[in-house]
Amino acid sequence: MMVIITRGIDLSLGSTLALAGMVTTKVMIVYPGLPIPLAFFDGIGIGTLCGFIVGAMVSWGSVPPIIASMGMMNAYRGITFLVSDGQWVSAHQMTNPFKAIATGRFLGINNLVLIAVLILLPRMCFLQHTNPGRRVYAVGSNPEFIFASILSVFLHVFSNYSQFFDSFHAMFYNLLYYYLK
């Protein structure tokens, strides 16, 4: 979302989701006793690293966003295939506590809905009510002016592609996928 606000595009999000989900799943299969938050941070770290790579290419490498993200989309797909050894992973291979995150309820509301709200509300408040959030809009609306001011356009574009929140979204959608499957 923040990439689009800054007049960019990131086609690699789906492949980033697949890679983060596959790595997290493989880690949970190999280490079934691993605490769930640690497994989540594994996937979040992978997603953030993927975003850093695309963000660096766009902001410091001056590669057009569609070219950088399309190239990395294919690279992430290939890495996902290598990690998975070309095999599917099903929910039956996951531990019960991990699956309970997707299937559980809190106060009658599905956990996935609560996770989505907990992710989106702080992001919305950040964008609308903080100076750095307003700068994201400024970079998208007039990058030439922002470049002339004290703000670093490169830093803003880079940080928007490598958003930590997008990694949370990737893990959330991975859980949603396994829940609906």
Side-chain angles (χ1 to χ4, degrees):
M1 175 179 78
M2 292 170 70
V3 170
I4 293 171
I5 293 172
T6 59
R7 300 194 322 190
I9 188 166
D10 192 354
L11 302 174
S12 66
L13 283 177
S15 298
T16 300
L17 163 71
L19 179 59
M22 184 59 71
V23 168
T24 302
T25 302
K26 287 292 190 174
V27 166
M28 291 299 293
I29 290 171
V30 173
Y31 303 105
L34 188 71
I36 304 282
L38 192 58
F40 264 46
F41 284 115
D42 181 35
I44 291 167
I46 294 288
T48 303
L49 178 65
C50 291
F52 277 146
I53 293 168
V54 176
M57 290 173 68
V58 171
S59 61
W60 290 312
S62 299
V63 178
I66 194 160
I67 303 298
S69 63
M70 189 177 292
M72 294 314 296
M73 172 184 71
N74 290 318
Y76 298 152
R77 282 183 182 176
I79 295 169
T80 303
F81 183 77
L82 291 174
V83 168
S84 70
D85 293 326
Q87 300 196 2
W88 290 93
V89 176
S90 70
H92 300 292
Q93 295 170 302
M94 302 301 297
T95 62
N96 287 331
F98 192 77
K99 288 190 288 190
I101 294 170
T103 58
R105 295 185 173 276
F106 181 75
L107 299 175
I109 302 171
N110 187 298
N111 289 343
L112 295 178
V113 173
L114 292 175
I115 292 170
V117 169
L118 289 174
I119 292 170
L120 292 175
L121 280 180
R123 179 180 245 182
M124 184 181 71
C125 290
F126 169 76
L127 284 173
Q128 294 179 356
H129 302 293
T130 66
N131 285 333
R134 299 306 301 163
R135 289 180 191 146
V136 172
Y137 286 106
V139 168
S141 64
N142 193 352
E144 292 80 20
F145 170 75
I146 299 300
F147 186 73
S149 72
I150 60 171
L151 300 176
S152 170
V153 173
F154 298 115
L155 184 60
H156 280 282
V157 170
F158 174 72
S159 66
N160 287 331
Y161 274 91
S162 58
Q163 278 300 317
F164 194 65
F165 289 118
D166 288 337
S167 300
F168 278 109
H169 283 145
M171 293 311 302
F172 165 71
Y173 291 125
N174 186 42
L175 282 172
L176 183 63
Y177 172 76
Y178 284 116
Y179 175 68
L180 295 176
K181 192 174 179 182

